Amino acid sequence: MATLMGCIADDFTGATDLAGLLARSGVRVSLRMGVPDHVPDDTASFEVIALKCRTSPVSEAVSQCLAALAWLKAAGASRIFWKYCSTFDSTPHGNIGPVAEALMAELGTDQTIYCPAFPENGRSVYMGNLFVGRLPLAESPMRDHPLTPMRDSNLMRLLEPQVKNPVGLVDHLQVSRGPEAIRTALGELAGQGIAHVVVDAIADSDLSTIAEACRNMVLMTGGSALAMPLPALYERDGLLGNDAVRQDLPTTKARGLVLSGSCSAMTRAQVAHYLGTGVPGFRLDPLQLAEDGIRQALTWLEGQDLSKMPLFYATAEPDSVRAAQQKLGVAKAGSIVEDALAGIAIRARQLGARRFVVAGGETSGAVTRALDVHRLDIGEEIAPGVPWCFAQSDGHDIAIALKSGNFGQEGFFADALSRLEAR
Ligand code: ADP
């Protein structure tokens, strides 16, 4: 059966998050790293393409997304979902609006919706304003994000300079009246030539109502949570074939390792917790790596029992990260650690590792690239937004969990592994 819905995500862990939420319903979801060269005949009902274009120049982001759209259309997708971050991360030039406008032109539609709300993670939209927990976006820590500082909380104001056509709102009062009221409101706005419609949502029930109202739009845009109700709705509509159900995913040998390149607060707690369970751990120091390379780490790896799932971590406190960055430069410190973890992953696979738990968004990209993984089949969720994924790497079945910095609870690493054991 052809693909029903094609999703384009503007970053890597965002794509995993979306794929995990779609797969919650038990449907088959496949995640591609970048736009594949050709359309295979075994596409899933829900295909997600992970791009890395959140902060790219607008023209580059648009051309990457149009290439993804062409692939998804060739796979049969009749509905497209443009996924961005639930904090609407965009530079002042912004890629969210221009990409949506380019996709609309290509798809021949003159209206789409914008809903980044993710209530489970504390993101809500009210009267067009985005909140992070109890704070307006522009008063949240996103205000000082190094790449995409968000200094306005009003999504209409953020979107307006990014698009050519008019922006409007379907507010929470309209959403709470149900799917029909949303469709009516969208129709009225369309009559006024409003192409880009922000839609309020403060609870999962709002997202279900919006998904029900908008499920047949050719283009929807938003955070991952808006897509979550869609598989069940399409199932109800009779649009999913028998093969849409997730198939048995491979079992993998219980040998592997945990690779942590994230320095986020939650990952620091997770690393401390995991080491506290008595697993062997090797700390990677960027300064030492810059001098001696990864020989020492590989020698340690070669002496390990991989059934214990040893840990390699560059995870460090902010002072120590700053010190390494001052000495090496921010980019160099990052790439030295990413390259080291990538090299360790390759050697571990040669030594028989088939399970990989990776912490860090950039780190996840580096490790999957090193393992030459292009497609992931999505399995069960370990924590909200972090599913186990299954892939082929150098002819072997591997299981891989990719966790962005602040996701998961303290016991995440051990939880992830016991989840796999329980299958
Ligand atoms: P997160 O998802 O928490 O943002 P990422 O993997 O995306 O994690 O980013 C963390 C970055 O920090 C990576 O580029 C990584 O290589 C780098 N890094 C990890 N440990 C250190 C360290 N001790 N010193 C400097 N940079 C580090």
Side-chain angles (χ1 to χ4, degrees):
M1 182 128 174
T3 296
L4 176 67
M5 169 160 261
C7 307
I8 304 170
D10 69 351
D11 92 333
F12 191 88
T13 39
T16 326
D17 166 19
L18 171 65
L21 292 189
L22 285 168
R24 258 191 203 176
S25 59
V27 293
R28 187 172 164 224
V29 181
S30 119
L31 169 58
R32 317 269 169 176
M33 304 295 145
V35 185
D37 296 335
H38 57 275
V39 181
D41 36 18
D42 65 336
T43 56
S45 300
F46 294 84
E47 286 281 345
V48 180
I49 296 187
L51 300 177
K52 194 173 173 355
C53 63
R54 183 168 296 167
T55 54
S56 311
V58 173
S59 61
E60 211 174 282
V62 166
S63 71
Q64 277 190 39
C65 290
L66 288 177
L69 174 64
W71 188 90
L72 291 166
K73 277 166 73 175
S78 50
R79 294 159 180 79
I80 300 295
F81 195 95
W82 163 225
K83 192 269 173 200
Y84 37 80
C85 191
S86 60
T87 41
F88 212 71
D89 303 14
S90 42
T91 61
H93 300 295
N95 288 336
I96 295 177
V99 166
E101 232 158 28
L103 296 174
M104 286 166 81
E106 192 62 28
L107 288 162
T109 181
D110 46 22
Q111 194 179 59
T112 191
I113 58 162
Y114 296 77
C115 186
F118 193 161
E120 203 177 333
N121 280 353
R123 296 354 175 202
S124 55
V125 183
Y126 186 67
M127 297 300 161
N129 290 279
L130 180 57
F131 290 82
V132 177
R134 294 180 171 190
L135 295 173
L137 176 66
E139 292 170 36
S140 78
M142 280 306 293
R143 183 182 166 74
D144 297 315
H145 190 281
L147 301 176
T148 50
M150 301 307 289
R151 298 290 168 96
D152 195 343
S153 309
N154 185 294
L155 295 175
M156 282 98 75
R157 271 200 307 263
L158 286 166
L159 202 51
E160 251 152 20
Q162 297 187 15
V163 290
K164 295 188 196 81
N165 289 314
V167 177
L169 171 69
V170 173
D171 71 25
H172 191 254
L173 300 173
Q174 294 165 302
V175 170
S176 62
R177 279 185 218 121
E180 208 39 60
I182 296 175
R183 274 195 288 261
T184 305
L186 287 171
E188 281 167 13
L189 290 171
Q192 298 160 29
I194 309 268
H196 306 281
V197 185
V198 173
V199 185
D200 278 355
I202 56 179
D204 279 341
S205 55
D206 297 325
L207 293 173
S208 297
T209 311
I210 299 164
E212 171 141 18
C214 300
R215 67 190 190 279
N216 292 324
M217 287 179 103
V218 289
L219 177 69
M220 271 186 270
T221 89
S224 52
L226 173 61
M228 190 166 62
L230 293 170
L233 290 166
Y234 295 143
E235 165 90 74
R236 197 192 64 189
D237 293 343
L239 293 175
L240 299 180
N242 294 336
D243 61 350
V245 178
R246 185 157 72 225
Q247 294 148 343
D248 280 345
L249 293 164
T251 41
T252 49
K253 276 207 211 99
R255 292 166 60 76
L257 71 175
V258 177
L259 299 163
S260 180
S262 158
C263 298
S264 302
M266 183 45 82
T267 307
R268 297 204 303 273
Q270 288 162 340
V271 164
H273 187 279
Y274 193 53
L275 289 171
T277 65
V279 292
F282 186 96
R283 194 173 90 81
L284 294 164
D285 170 11
L287 296 174
Q288 189 265 324
L289 288 170
E291 293 215 342
D292 309 329
I294 60 168
R295 194 57 262 157
Q296 213 180 315
L298 294 183
T299 306
W300 187 83
L301 170 67
E302 283 152 15
Q304 292 305 304
D305 173 358
L306 292 180
S307 67
K308 296 209 170 94
M309 297 292 295
L311 165 72
F312 283 88
Y313 63 105
T315 306
E317 296 298 316
D319 283 350
S320 154
V321 173
R322 255 191 307 275
Q325 288 175 335
Q326 264 161 18
K327 201 120 194 202
L328 301 167
V330 175
K332 180 89 187 292
S335 66
I336 282 179
V337 168
E338 286 168 35
D339 291 350
L341 289 167
I344 291 164
I346 293 173
R347 181 72 187 119
R349 187 189 59 196
Q350 287 167 352
L351 295 169
R354 300 291 178 261
R355 296 179 176 182
F356 299 84
V357 180
V358 189
E362 292 300 323
T363 309
S364 293
V367 171
T368 35
R369 267 193 306 279
L371 292 175
D372 203 24
V373 165
H374 301 284
R375 174 192 179 159
L376 297 157
D377 285 310
I378 308 302
E380 67 170 306
E381 252 179 328
I382 305 159
V386 198
W388 266 113
C389 303
F390 298 85
Q392 284 274 307
S393 175
D394 196 31
H396 304 286
D397 283 327
I398 63 161
I400 185 162
L402 306 166
K403 186 196 84 74
S404 93
N406 277 319
F407 278 33
Q409 300 297 316
E410 281 193 10
F412 178 86
F413 296 138
D415 284 355
L417 298 165
S418 58
R419 241 350 120 89
L420 216 47
E421 284 310 313
R423 288 173 70 223

